[in-house]
């Protein structure tokens, strides 16, 4: 298992800094023999550029190819598809962050749980009732229990015992805008983090937050991308202080969070400046207030943005990777990042605009591969106690890689 010691991830006593990726749809495509090979291609291509952690959905609630067709009723063939995803990750030595429910309507999300609640006789009026209604909390806990206790039909390993799984994510991008105080979401996080740990004390747990600052840290809200971000019921520092949460997560989307406009040199510079300050503020918080690693679990640029070009996406990659390395060099809390998202050719019908096709995005692939090489050297040089004050015989090679910024 990957573990957490202080502000670092470790594996067998060595640091485990992350260069990773998202591919949310793997279970759904694995459920069809005609598209299952795309899952293998994702892992092959990600492994080829040195990526070591992937993030994907362990949910699909009441939708097309649903995993959970109704509360506690599962499609075994889709569950076997998730088994396949985990087994393929294991084959390519890639660990997985598995997210357990969506905040958004895609793949069901909290809205589907509310529909199920109303179908069972409840009178729910808001999707945010997901966080407070006892019946819906029980529905969610039942799903968590089922996934964690699942025995993989390919490997015969129970999910909660499988080191292929890096961490459990409580929810993808939780928000509770009906309660800007954050109390409702905080209560849910506290209950569910403890619940996951009661079943599986071995794996790491994270919330799935985007990183917005809320009422507990008014001085930090100036780092939010807009004024609305402080009103969505999330609270980065307070939320991550909940017992059972092992590391913090942050998403980075300046192109959708900041007032939309055509990407130009001036706009791209402002986006990159935001990215740097956003990441730095969260690394500081993880070090000063949380004492835990922070993983930037989603970042990207959409090809649908007016004025999009691959050069800006490459600059975004470089910026995120440099900010991560700035922390890594000091043994700090910046533990890595996961690009949204890696796609193989032939999966264009699932593309939300953010897809990075590694086989044809040659510059992006080189940037990603270089970051993997840098982190691999960090991971191999020192024990977790090292703060890089030591002098290692391999530091010359490391310094050469770190100084090679432009490709």
């Amino acid at each position: 298992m990957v573990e957490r010691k202080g502000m670092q991830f470790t594996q067998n006593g060595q640091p485990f800094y992350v260069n990773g990726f998202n591919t949310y749809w793997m279970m759904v495509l694995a459920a069809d023999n005609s598209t299952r090979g795309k899952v293998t291609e994702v892992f092959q291509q990600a492994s080829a550029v040195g990526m070591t952690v992937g993030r994907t959905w362990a949910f699909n609630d009441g939708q097309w190819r649903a995993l959970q067709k109704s509360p506690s009723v599962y499609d075994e063939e889709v569950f076997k598809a998730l088994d396949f995803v985990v087994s393929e990750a294991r084959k390519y030595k890639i660990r997985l962050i598995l997210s357990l429910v969506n905040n958004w309507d895609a793949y069901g999300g909290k809205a589907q749980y509310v529909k199920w609640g109303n179908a069972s006789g409840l009178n729910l009026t808001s999707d945010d009732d997901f966080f407070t209604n006892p019946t819906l909390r029980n529905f969610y806990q039942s799903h968590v229990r089922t996934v964690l206790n699942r025995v993989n039909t390919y490997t015969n390993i129970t999910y909660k015992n499988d080191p292929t799984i890096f961490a459990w994510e409580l929810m993808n991008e939780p928000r509770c805008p009906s309660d800007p105080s954050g109390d409702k979401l905080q209560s849910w996080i506290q209950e569910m983090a403890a619940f996951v740990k009661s079943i599986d004390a071995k794996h790491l747990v994270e919330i799935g937050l985007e990183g917005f600052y809320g009422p507990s840290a008014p001085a930090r809200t100036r780092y939010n991308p807009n004024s609305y971000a402080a009103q969505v019921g999330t609270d980065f520092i307070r939320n991550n202080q909940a017992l059972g949460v092992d590391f913090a997560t942050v998403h980075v989307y300046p192109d959708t969070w900041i007032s939309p406009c055509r990407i130009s040199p001036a706009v791209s510079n402002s986006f990159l400046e935001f990215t740097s300050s956003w990441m730095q503020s969260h690394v500081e918080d993880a070090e000063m207030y949380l004492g835990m690693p922070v993983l930037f679990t989603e970042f990207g640029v959409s090809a649908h943005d007016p004025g999009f070009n691959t050069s800006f996406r490459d600059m975004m990659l470089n910026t995120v990777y440099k900010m991560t390395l700035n922390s890594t060099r000091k043994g700090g809390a910046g533990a890595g990042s996961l690009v949204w998202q890696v796609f193989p050719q032939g999966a264009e019908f699932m593309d939300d605009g953010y897809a990075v096709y590694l086989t044809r995005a040659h510059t992006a692939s080189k940037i990603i591969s270089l970051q993997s090489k840098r982190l691999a050297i960090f991971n191999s040089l020192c024990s977790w106690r090292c703060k890089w004050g030591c002098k290692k015989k391999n530091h010359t090679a490391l310094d050469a890689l770190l100084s090679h910024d432009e490709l």
Side-chain angles (χ1 to χ4, degrees), residues 94-295:
I94 290 175
R95 296 171 188 267
L96 294 176
I97 296 174
L98 295 181
S99 190
L100 295 164
V101 73
N102 207 356
N103 178 71
W104 312 107
D105 292 354
Y107 290 73
K110 63 186 183 184
Q112 181 61 59
Y113 278 78
V114 169
K115 290 176 184 175
W116 284 336
N118 284 332
S120 70
L122 301 177
N123 183 25
L124 306 173
T125 58
S126 167
D127 288 349
D128 286 349
D129 289 335
F130 171 85
F131 297 112
T132 57
N133 183 270
T135 299
L136 301 193
R137 287 190 180 211
N138 287 336
F139 286 170
Y140 173 79
Q141 289 180 338
S142 178
H143 176 62
V144 169
R145 187 183 299 109
T146 301
V147 173
L148 272 58
N149 286 315
R150 170 76 175 181
V151 177
N152 192 308
T153 54
Y154 288 84
T155 65
N156 205 35
I157 301 171
T158 306
Y159 280 32
K160 65 182 179 183
N161 297 326
D162 193 344
T164 305
I165 295 168
F166 179 88
W168 301 112
E169 179 174 281
L170 298 183
M171 185 180 214
N172 173 51
E173 298 187 336
R175 295 185 183 186
C176 187
S178 64
D179 177 28
S181 76
D183 291 343
K184 289 181 181 179
L185 182 58
Q186 182 70 10
S187 173
W188 184 87
I189 292 168
Q190 289 171 336
E191 179 179 343
M192 299 311 168
F195 181 76
V196 172
K197 287 291 190 180
S198 73
I199 300 172
D200 178 3
K202 299 175 184 177
H203 281 106
L204 302 172
V205 172
E206 50 97 347
I207 302 166
L209 294 172
E210 297 159 279
F212 301 138
Y213 293 104
S216 77
R220 305 300 274 175
T221 58
R222 64 190 175 95
Y223 291 105
N224 282 344
N226 52 57
S227 58
Y228 176 67
Q231 303 297 315
V232 297
T234 67
D235 199 329
F236 176 74
I237 295 174
R238 181 190 182 196
N239 294 159
N240 282 301
Q241 289 172 330
L243 192 66
V245 175
D246 293 298
F247 65 96
T249 65
V250 178
H251 295 180
V252 190
Y253 288 115
D255 63 334
T256 56
W257 289 346
I258 300 172
S259 299
C261 51
R262 185 175 184 83
I263 292 178
S264 65
V267 169
S268 65
N269 286 339
S270 71
F271 284 179
L272 296 177
E273 288 170 6
F274 165 79
T275 296
S276 296
S277 65
W278 181 245
M279 292 181 69
Q280 182 59 33
S281 68
H282 288 84
V283 169
E284 291 171 359
D285 294 332
E287 293 173 354
M288 291 191 296
Y289 303 114
L290 300 176
M292 62 173 56
V294 58
L295 205 56

Side-chain angles (χ1 to χ4, degrees), residues 305-365:
D305 295 336
F308 168 85
N309 60 74
T310 57
S311 295
F312 175 61
R313 183 181 66 195
D314 296 341
M315 286 190 289
M316 182 72 171
L317 279 166
N318 267 323
T319 299
V320 170
Y321 288 164
K322 286 178 184 177
M323 291 302 297
T324 303
L325 283 170
N326 285 344
S327 179
T328 304
R329 280 171 164 147
K330 299 178 289 187
S337 58
L338 289 82
V339 66
W340 183 277
Q341 55 181 324
V342 165
F343 266 53
Q345 291 189 162
E348 286 82 358
F349 63 99
M350 301 295 285
D351 189 352
D352 60 355
Y354 288 85
V356 179
Y357 296 90
L358 293 175
T359 56
R360 60 182 190 238
H362 300 299
T363 303
S365 294

